[in-house]
Amino acid sequence: MANRLSDAEITTAVAELTGWKLDGKFIVKKYRFREFLKGVAFVNEIAALSEEKNHHPFIAIDYKMVTLRLTSWNAGGLTDLDVALAKNYDTIYEKM
Amino acid sequence: MANRLSDAEITTAVAELTGWKLDGKFIVKKYRFREFLKGVAFVNEIAALSEEKNHHPFIAIDYKMVTLRLTSWNAGGLTDLDVALAKNYDTIYEKM
């Protein structure tokens, strides 16, 4: 199990991410797509990775916008795993 | 474009649906799945139907729970189309 990050570590980590914002125990990002079904395709890739890592973000699809919200429930807050997955999600988005 | 339903029509329609609740201008239902990826498969079917009908619900995936939220933006509230789609979503869920 990953260790929970300190407030200082979280601040540094979020500053290094692109477009992610801290919201309580979560980090959140909104991704925009040209078409609704492109957003759904993105969600499928995120879902496959989530299942592989056994770490599932909250996913919201609002027409052409997909919002991802990450935290580590078992650690009671954000961990390195959340930060690593946020970067992985961004890479998936950039490839689409 | 479908016509907006009256309050009385909405009350009757929601009473005839299973598990759907009225929430302001929306009807909302939470669907539960045995596995995360079953919920994602359901979302894919909902997405294909939404694109075909050009009527997109708000979709939220919270691990094994999928929440669908429907309204007709162009009519300013609920229409027959929302009620018809709610029934279609239930049929898709029952077949899974």
PDB file of all heavy atoms in Angstrom, chain A residues 10-37:
ATOM      1  N   ILE A  10       2.057  17.032  -1.338  1.00  0.00           N
ATOM      2  CA  ILE A  10       0.905  17.180  -2.233  1.00  0.00           C
ATOM      3  C   ILE A  10       1.017  18.489  -3.021  1.00  0.00           C
ATOM      4  O   ILE A  10       0.825  18.511  -4.236  1.00  0.00           O
ATOM      5  CB  ILE A  10      -0.423  17.129  -1.441  1.00  0.00           C
ATOM      6  CG1 ILE A  10      -0.662  15.715  -0.910  1.00  0.00           C
ATOM      7  CG2 ILE A  10      -1.596  17.577  -2.311  1.00  0.00           C
ATOM      8  CD1 ILE A  10      -1.792  15.597   0.106  1.00  0.00           C
ATOM      9  N   THR A  11       1.351  19.563  -2.324  1.00  0.00           N
ATOM     10  CA  THR A  11       1.476  20.867  -2.986  1.00  0.00           C
ATOM     11  C   THR A  11       2.508  20.803  -4.111  1.00  0.00           C
ATOM     12  O   THR A  11       2.261  21.272  -5.231  1.00  0.00           O
ATOM     13  CB  THR A  11       1.897  21.945  -1.952  1.00  0.00           C
ATOM     14  OG1 THR A  11       0.908  21.973  -0.916  1.00  0.00           O
ATOM     15  CG2 THR A  11       1.994  23.319  -2.590  1.00  0.00           C
ATOM     16  N   THR A  12       3.648  20.185  -3.828  1.00  0.00           N
ATOM     17  CA  THR A  12       4.705  20.046  -4.833  1.00  0.00           C
ATOM     18  C   THR A  12       4.232  19.188  -6.001  1.00  0.00           C
ATOM     19  O   THR A  12       4.423  19.544  -7.175  1.00  0.00           O
ATOM     20  CB  THR A  12       5.961  19.395  -4.200  1.00  0.00           C
ATOM     21  OG1 THR A  12       6.348  20.185  -3.077  1.00  0.00           O
ATOM     22  CG2 THR A  12       7.106  19.305  -5.193  1.00  0.00           C
ATOM     23  N   ALA A  13       3.591  18.076  -5.672  1.00  0.00           N
ATOM     24  CA  ALA A  13       3.155  17.140  -6.715  1.00  0.00           C
ATOM     25  C   ALA A  13       2.119  17.787  -7.631  1.00  0.00           C
ATOM     26  O   ALA A  13       2.210  17.668  -8.856  1.00  0.00           O
ATOM     27  CB  ALA A  13       2.577  15.873  -6.073  1.00  0.00           C
ATOM     28  N   VAL A  14       1.139  18.489  -7.052  1.00  0.00           N
ATOM     29  CA  VAL A  14       0.074  19.107  -7.856  1.00  0.00           C
ATOM     30  C   VAL A  14       0.663  20.205  -8.748  1.00  0.00           C
ATOM     31  O   VAL A  14       0.265  20.359  -9.910  1.00  0.00           O
ATOM     32  CB  VAL A  14      -1.063  19.649  -6.965  1.00  0.00           C
ATOM     33  CG1 VAL A  14      -2.066  20.467  -7.776  1.00  0.00           C
ATOM     34  CG2 VAL A  14      -1.784  18.496  -6.264  1.00  0.00           C
ATOM     35  N   ALA A  15       1.648  20.938  -8.221  1.00  0.00           N
ATOM     36  CA  ALA A  15       2.282  22.014  -9.002  1.00  0.00           C
ATOM     37  C   ALA A  15       2.992  21.447 -10.230  1.00  0.00           C
ATOM     38  O   ALA A  15       3.088  22.111 -11.263  1.00  0.00           O
ATOM     39  CB  ALA A  15       3.267  22.778  -8.125  1.00  0.00           C
ATOM     40  N   GLU A  16       3.456  20.205 -10.117  1.00  0.00           N
ATOM     41  CA  GLU A  16       4.183  19.578 -11.241  1.00  0.00           C
ATOM     42  C   GLU A  16       3.233  18.946 -12.258  1.00  0.00           C
ATOM     43  O   GLU A  16       3.645  18.630 -13.373  1.00  0.00           O
ATOM     44  CB  GLU A  16       5.153  18.520 -10.700  1.00  0.00           C
ATOM     45  CG  GLU A  16       6.386  19.151 -10.052  1.00  0.00           C
ATOM     46  CD  GLU A  16       7.263  18.138  -9.320  1.00  0.00           C
ATOM     47  OE1 GLU A  16       6.899  16.938  -9.279  1.00  0.00           O
ATOM     48  OE2 GLU A  16       8.300  18.557  -8.782  1.00  0.00           O
ATOM     49  N   LEU A  17       1.972  18.748 -11.872  1.00  0.00           N
ATOM     50  CA  LEU A  17       0.993  18.174 -12.803  1.00  0.00           C
ATOM     51  C   LEU A  17       0.399  19.278 -13.681  1.00  0.00           C
ATOM     52  O   LEU A  17       0.449  20.460 -13.327  1.00  0.00           O
ATOM     53  CB  LEU A  17      -0.138  17.479 -12.026  1.00  0.00           C
ATOM     54  CG  LEU A  17       0.230  16.205 -11.258  1.00  0.00           C
ATOM     55  CD1 LEU A  17      -0.934  15.755 -10.386  1.00  0.00           C
ATOM     56  CD2 LEU A  17       0.647  15.091 -12.209  1.00  0.00           C
ATOM     57  N   THR A  18      -0.182  18.879 -14.817  1.00  0.00           N
ATOM     58  CA  THR A  18      -0.776  19.857 -15.733  1.00  0.00           C
ATOM     59  C   THR A  18      -2.302  19.773 -15.678  1.00  0.00           C
ATOM     60  O   THR A  18      -2.885  18.750 -16.043  1.00  0.00           O
ATOM     61  CB  THR A  18      -0.309  19.578 -17.185  1.00  0.00           C
ATOM     62  OG1 THR A  18       1.111  19.526 -17.195  1.00  0.00           O
ATOM     63  CG2 THR A  18      -0.814  20.657 -18.137  1.00  0.00           C
ATOM     64  N   GLY A  19      -2.916  20.864 -15.177  1.00  0.00           N
ATOM     65  CA  GLY A  19      -4.383  20.922 -15.208  1.00  0.00           C
ATOM     66  C   GLY A  19      -5.083  20.208 -14.069  1.00  0.00           C
ATOM     67  O   GLY A  19      -6.308  20.219 -14.001  1.00  0.00           O
ATOM     68  N   TRP A  20      -4.330  19.574 -13.190  1.00  0.00           N
ATOM     69  CA  TRP A  20      -4.943  18.910 -12.030  1.00  0.00           C
ATOM     70  C   TRP A  20      -5.065  19.909 -10.887  1.00  0.00           C
ATOM     71  O   TRP A  20      -4.154  20.694 -10.637  1.00  0.00           O
ATOM     72  CB  TRP A  20      -4.095  17.709 -11.591  1.00  0.00           C
ATOM     73  CG  TRP A  20      -4.199  16.553 -12.531  1.00  0.00           C
ATOM     74  CD1 TRP A  20      -3.469  16.366 -13.669  1.00  0.00           C
ATOM     75  CD2 TRP A  20      -5.104  15.441 -12.436  1.00  0.00           C
ATOM     76  NE1 TRP A  20      -3.865  15.202 -14.286  1.00  0.00           N
ATOM     77  CE2 TRP A  20      -4.854  14.610 -13.556  1.00  0.00           C
ATOM     78  CE3 TRP A  20      -6.089  15.072 -11.519  1.00  0.00           C
ATOM     79  CZ2 TRP A  20      -5.575  13.429 -13.772  1.00  0.00           C
ATOM     80  CZ3 TRP A  20      -6.793  13.898 -11.734  1.00  0.00           C
ATOM     81  CH2 TRP A  20      -6.533  13.094 -12.850  1.00  0.00           C
ATOM     82  N   LYS A  21      -6.189  19.837 -10.180  1.00  0.00           N
ATOM     83  CA  LYS A  21      -6.398  20.718  -9.029  1.00  0.00           C
ATOM     84  C   LYS A  21      -6.661  19.899  -7.774  1.00  0.00           C
ATOM     85  O   LYS A  21      -7.279  18.830  -7.850  1.00  0.00           O
ATOM     86  CB  LYS A  21      -7.602  21.638  -9.283  1.00  0.00           C
ATOM     87  CG  LYS A  21      -7.315  22.661 -10.369  1.00  0.00           C
ATOM     88  CD  LYS A  21      -8.471  23.617 -10.574  1.00  0.00           C
ATOM     89  CE  LYS A  21      -8.169  24.571 -11.719  1.00  0.00           C
ATOM     90  NZ  LYS A  21      -9.314  25.415 -12.083  1.00  0.00           N
ATOM     91  N   LEU A  22      -6.208  20.420  -6.666  1.00  0.00           N
ATOM     92  CA  LEU A  22      -6.468  19.771  -5.389  1.00  0.00           C
ATOM     93  C   LEU A  22      -7.869  20.140  -4.920  1.00  0.00           C
ATOM     94  O   LEU A  22      -8.286  21.298  -4.987  1.00  0.00           O
ATOM     95  CB  LEU A  22      -5.420  20.247  -4.366  1.00  0.00           C
ATOM     96  CG  LEU A  22      -5.447  19.569  -3.002  1.00  0.00           C
ATOM     97  CD1 LEU A  22      -5.110  18.083  -3.115  1.00  0.00           C
ATOM     98  CD2 LEU A  22      -4.460  20.257  -2.058  1.00  0.00           C
ATOM     99  N   ASP A  23      -8.643  19.134  -4.465  1.00  0.00           N
ATOM    100  CA  ASP A  23      -9.994  19.370  -3.947  1.00  0.00           C
ATOM    101  C   ASP A  23     -10.182  18.458  -2.734  1.00  0.00           C
ATOM    102  O   ASP A  23     -10.609  17.316  -2.866  1.00  0.00           O
ATOM    103  CB  ASP A  23     -11.030  19.060  -5.039  1.00  0.00           C
ATOM    104  CG  ASP A  23     -12.458  19.313  -4.558  1.00  0.00           C
ATOM    105  OD1 ASP A  23     -12.639  19.990  -3.535  1.00  0.00           O
ATOM    106  OD2 ASP A  23     -13.393  18.801  -5.207  1.00  0.00           O
ATOM    107  N   GLY A  24      -9.807  18.959  -1.563  1.00  0.00           N
ATOM    108  CA  GLY A  24      -9.884  18.157  -0.338  1.00  0.00           C
ATOM    109  C   GLY A  24      -8.912  16.990  -0.431  1.00  0.00           C
ATOM    110  O   GLY A  24      -7.728  17.193  -0.663  1.00  0.00           O
ATOM    111  N   LYS A  25      -9.442  15.771  -0.289  1.00  0.00           N
ATOM    112  CA  LYS A  25      -8.593  14.578  -0.354  1.00  0.00           C
ATOM    113  C   LYS A  25      -8.380  14.086  -1.784  1.00  0.00           C
ATOM    114  O   LYS A  25      -7.815  13.011  -2.000  1.00  0.00           O
ATOM    115  CB  LYS A  25      -9.232  13.454   0.468  1.00  0.00           C
ATOM    116  CG  LYS A  25      -9.172  13.688   1.967  1.00  0.00           C
ATOM    117  CD  LYS A  25      -9.644  12.473   2.737  1.00  0.00           C
ATOM    118  CE  LYS A  25      -9.418  12.683   4.228  1.00  0.00           C
ATOM    119  NZ  LYS A  25      -9.863  11.507   5.014  1.00  0.00           N
ATOM    120  N   PHE A  26      -8.888  14.850  -2.753  1.00  0.00           N
ATOM    121  CA  PHE A  26      -8.834  14.420  -4.155  1.00  0.00           C
ATOM    122  C   PHE A  26      -7.954  15.340  -4.998  1.00  0.00           C
ATOM    123  O   PHE A  26      -7.761  16.516  -4.668  1.00  0.00           O
ATOM    124  CB  PHE A  26     -10.241  14.467  -4.772  1.00  0.00           C
ATOM    125  CG  PHE A  26     -11.233  13.549  -4.135  1.00  0.00           C
ATOM    126  CD1 PHE A  26     -11.954  13.953  -3.017  1.00  0.00           C
ATOM    127  CD2 PHE A  26     -11.463  12.284  -4.659  1.00  0.00           C
ATOM    128  CE1 PHE A  26     -12.880  13.108  -2.423  1.00  0.00           C
ATOM    129  CE2 PHE A  26     -12.387  11.436  -4.080  1.00  0.00           C
ATOM    130  CZ  PHE A  26     -13.101  11.847  -2.957  1.00  0.00           C
ATOM    131  N   ILE A  27      -7.470  14.792  -6.116  1.00  0.00           N
ATOM    132  CA  ILE A  27      -7.019  15.645  -7.220  1.00  0.00           C
ATOM    133  C   ILE A  27      -7.997  15.419  -8.364  1.00  0.00           C
ATOM    134  O   ILE A  27      -8.495  14.303  -8.576  1.00  0.00           O
ATOM    135  CB  ILE A  27      -5.556  15.389  -7.659  1.00  0.00           C
ATOM    136  CG1 ILE A  27      -5.272  13.907  -7.886  1.00  0.00           C
ATOM    137  CG2 ILE A  27      -4.594  16.000  -6.672  1.00  0.00           C
ATOM    138  CD1 ILE A  27      -3.882  13.635  -8.493  1.00  0.00           C
ATOM    139  N   VAL A  28      -8.293  16.509  -9.095  1.00  0.00           N
ATOM    140  CA  VAL A  28      -9.364  16.504 -10.089  1.00  0.00           C
ATOM    141  C   VAL A  28      -8.878  17.147 -11.381  1.00  0.00           C
ATOM    142  O   VAL A  28      -8.154  18.141 -11.351  1.00  0.00           O
ATOM    143  CB  VAL A  28     -10.584  17.329  -9.582  1.00  0.00           C
ATOM    144  CG1 VAL A  28     -11.752  17.242 -10.555  1.00  0.00           C
ATOM    145  CG2 VAL A  28     -11.000  16.867  -8.202  1.00  0.00           C
ATOM    146  N   LYS A  29      -9.292  16.565 -12.514  1.00  0.00           N
ATOM    147  CA  LYS A  29      -9.010  17.204 -13.809  1.00  0.00           C
ATOM    148  C   LYS A  29     -10.169  17.001 -14.769  1.00  0.00           C
ATOM    149  O   LYS A  29     -10.791  15.935 -14.787  1.00  0.00           O
ATOM    150  CB  LYS A  29      -7.729  16.632 -14.436  1.00  0.00           C
ATOM    151  CG  LYS A  29      -7.361  17.308 -15.765  1.00  0.00           C
ATOM    152  CD  LYS A  29      -5.953  16.972 -16.207  1.00  0.00           C
ATOM    153  CE  LYS A  29      -5.613  17.605 -17.557  1.00  0.00           C
ATOM    154  NZ  LYS A  29      -4.202  17.341 -17.943  1.00  0.00           N
ATOM    155  N   LYS A  30     -10.447  18.024 -15.553  1.00  0.00           N
ATOM    156  CA  LYS A  30     -11.471  17.952 -16.603  1.00  0.00           C
ATOM    157  C   LYS A  30     -10.773  17.851 -17.958  1.00  0.00           C
ATOM    158  O   LYS A  30      -9.911  18.677 -18.259  1.00  0.00           O
ATOM    159  CB  LYS A  30     -12.355  19.208 -16.580  1.00  0.00           C
ATOM    160  CG  LYS A  30     -13.235  19.307 -15.344  1.00  0.00           C
ATOM    161  CD  LYS A  30     -14.116  20.550 -15.400  1.00  0.00           C
ATOM    162  CE  LYS A  30     -14.830  20.784 -14.081  1.00  0.00           C
ATOM    163  NZ  LYS A  30     -15.774  19.726 -13.701  1.00  0.00           N
ATOM    164  N   TYR A  31     -11.141  16.847 -18.737  1.00  0.00           N
ATOM    165  CA  TYR A  31     -10.596  16.653 -20.083  1.00  0.00           C
ATOM    166  C   TYR A  31     -11.687  16.936 -21.107  1.00  0.00           C
ATOM    167  O   TYR A  31     -12.800  16.422 -20.965  1.00  0.00           O
ATOM    168  CB  TYR A  31     -10.139  15.200 -20.266  1.00  0.00           C
ATOM    169  CG  TYR A  31      -9.007  14.756 -19.390  1.00  0.00           C
ATOM    170  CD1 TYR A  31      -9.241  14.213 -18.133  1.00  0.00           C
ATOM    171  CD2 TYR A  31      -7.681  14.831 -19.833  1.00  0.00           C
ATOM    172  CE1 TYR A  31      -8.199  13.772 -17.325  1.00  0.00           C
ATOM    173  CE2 TYR A  31      -6.634  14.392 -19.038  1.00  0.00           C
ATOM    174  CZ  TYR A  31      -6.897  13.865 -17.788  1.00  0.00           C
ATOM    175  OH  TYR A  31      -5.870  13.426 -16.994  1.00  0.00           O
ATOM    176  N   ARG A  32     -11.363  17.722 -22.129  1.00  0.00           N
ATOM    177  CA  ARG A  32     -12.351  18.036 -23.165  1.00  0.00           C
ATOM    178  C   ARG A  32     -12.054  17.289 -24.467  1.00  0.00           C
ATOM    179  O   ARG A  32     -10.901  17.092 -24.806  1.00  0.00           O
ATOM    180  CB  ARG A  32     -12.356  19.557 -23.424  1.00  0.00           C
ATOM    181  CG  ARG A  32     -12.961  20.296 -22.259  1.00  0.00           C
ATOM    182  CD  ARG A  32     -12.827  21.798 -22.337  1.00  0.00           C
ATOM    183  NE  ARG A  32     -13.003  22.369 -21.020  1.00  0.00           N
ATOM    184  CZ  ARG A  32     -14.178  22.522 -20.399  1.00  0.00           C
ATOM    185  NH1 ARG A  32     -15.297  22.158 -21.017  1.00  0.00           N
ATOM    186  NH2 ARG A  32     -14.253  23.027 -19.183  1.00  0.00           N
ATOM    187  N   PHE A  33     -13.118  16.918 -25.174  1.00  0.00           N
ATOM    188  CA  PHE A  33     -13.003  16.145 -26.415  1.00  0.00           C
ATOM    189  C   PHE A  33     -13.832  16.794 -27.522  1.00  0.00           C
ATOM    190  O   PHE A  33     -14.811  17.477 -27.249  1.00  0.00           O
ATOM    191  CB  PHE A  33     -13.479  14.703 -26.174  1.00  0.00           C
ATOM    192  CG  PHE A  33     -12.624  13.987 -25.171  1.00  0.00           C
ATOM    193  CD1 PHE A  33     -12.885  14.106 -23.807  1.00  0.00           C
ATOM    194  CD2 PHE A  33     -11.522  13.252 -25.568  1.00  0.00           C
ATOM    195  CE1 PHE A  33     -12.065  13.499 -22.862  1.00  0.00           C
ATOM    196  CE2 PHE A  33     -10.693  12.642 -24.633  1.00  0.00           C
ATOM    197  CZ  PHE A  33     -10.972  12.767 -23.283  1.00  0.00           C
ATOM    198  N   ARG A  34     -13.429  16.534 -28.773  1.00  0.00           N
ATOM    199  CA  ARG A  34     -14.171  17.093 -29.911  1.00  0.00           C
ATOM    200  C   ARG A  34     -15.507  16.402 -30.094  1.00  0.00           C
ATOM    201  O   ARG A  34     -16.449  16.966 -30.621  1.00  0.00           O
ATOM    202  CB  ARG A  34     -13.362  16.913 -31.192  1.00  0.00           C
ATOM    203  CG  ARG A  34     -12.159  17.828 -31.220  1.00  0.00           C
ATOM    204  CD  ARG A  34     -11.595  17.892 -32.625  1.00  0.00           C
ATOM    205  NE  ARG A  34     -10.433  18.771 -32.653  1.00  0.00           N
ATOM    206  CZ  ARG A  34      -9.753  19.047 -33.749  1.00  0.00           C
ATOM    207  NH1 ARG A  34     -10.119  18.527 -34.906  1.00  0.00           N
ATOM    208  NH2 ARG A  34      -8.722  19.856 -33.697  1.00  0.00           N
ATOM    209  N   GLU A  35     -15.546  15.113 -29.710  1.00  0.00           N
ATOM    210  CA  GLU A  35     -16.781  14.343 -29.875  1.00  0.00           C
ATOM    211  C   GLU A  35     -17.069  13.578 -28.589  1.00  0.00           C
ATOM    212  O   GLU A  35     -16.147  13.123 -27.923  1.00  0.00           O
ATOM    213  CB  GLU A  35     -16.630  13.313 -31.002  1.00  0.00           C
ATOM    214  CG  GLU A  35     -16.393  13.914 -32.366  1.00  0.00           C
ATOM    215  CD  GLU A  35     -15.915  12.861 -33.356  1.00  0.00           C
ATOM    216  OE1 GLU A  35     -16.284  11.681 -33.204  1.00  0.00           O
ATOM    217  OE2 GLU A  35     -15.145  13.227 -34.267  1.00  0.00           O
ATOM    218  N   PHE A  36     -18.355  13.378 -28.349  1.00  0.00           N
ATOM    219  CA  PHE A  36     -18.801  12.603 -27.189  1.00  0.00           C
ATOM    220  C   PHE A  36     -18.133  11.230 -27.146  1.00  0.00           C
ATOM    221  O   PHE A  36     -17.608  10.811 -26.110  1.00  0.00           O
ATOM    222  CB  PHE A  36     -20.328  12.474 -27.265  1.00  0.00           C
ATOM    223  CG  PHE A  36     -20.944  11.518 -26.279  1.00  0.00           C
ATOM    224  CD1 PHE A  36     -20.970  11.804 -24.928  1.00  0.00           C
ATOM    225  CD2 PHE A  36     -21.512  10.336 -26.717  1.00  0.00           C
ATOM    226  CE1 PHE A  36     -21.549  10.929 -24.015  1.00  0.00           C
ATOM    227  CE2 PHE A  36     -22.103   9.448 -25.815  1.00  0.00           C
ATOM    228  CZ  PHE A  36     -22.106   9.746 -24.465  1.00  0.00           C
ATOM    229  N   LEU A  37     -18.143  10.512 -28.305  1.00  0.00           N
ATOM    230  CA  LEU A  37     -17.613   9.143 -28.300  1.00  0.00           C
ATOM    231  C   LEU A  37     -16.089   9.072 -28.142  1.00  0.00           C
ATOM    232  O   LEU A  37     -15.563   8.036 -27.743  1.00  0.00           O
ATOM    233  CB  LEU A  37     -18.071   8.378 -29.549  1.00  0.00           C
ATOM    234  CG  LEU A  37     -19.571   8.031 -29.566  1.00  0.00           C
ATOM    235  CD1 LEU A  37     -19.930   7.264 -30.840  1.00  0.00           C
ATOM    236  CD2 LEU A  37     -20.004   7.230 -28.326  1.00  0.00           C
TER     237      LEU A  37
END
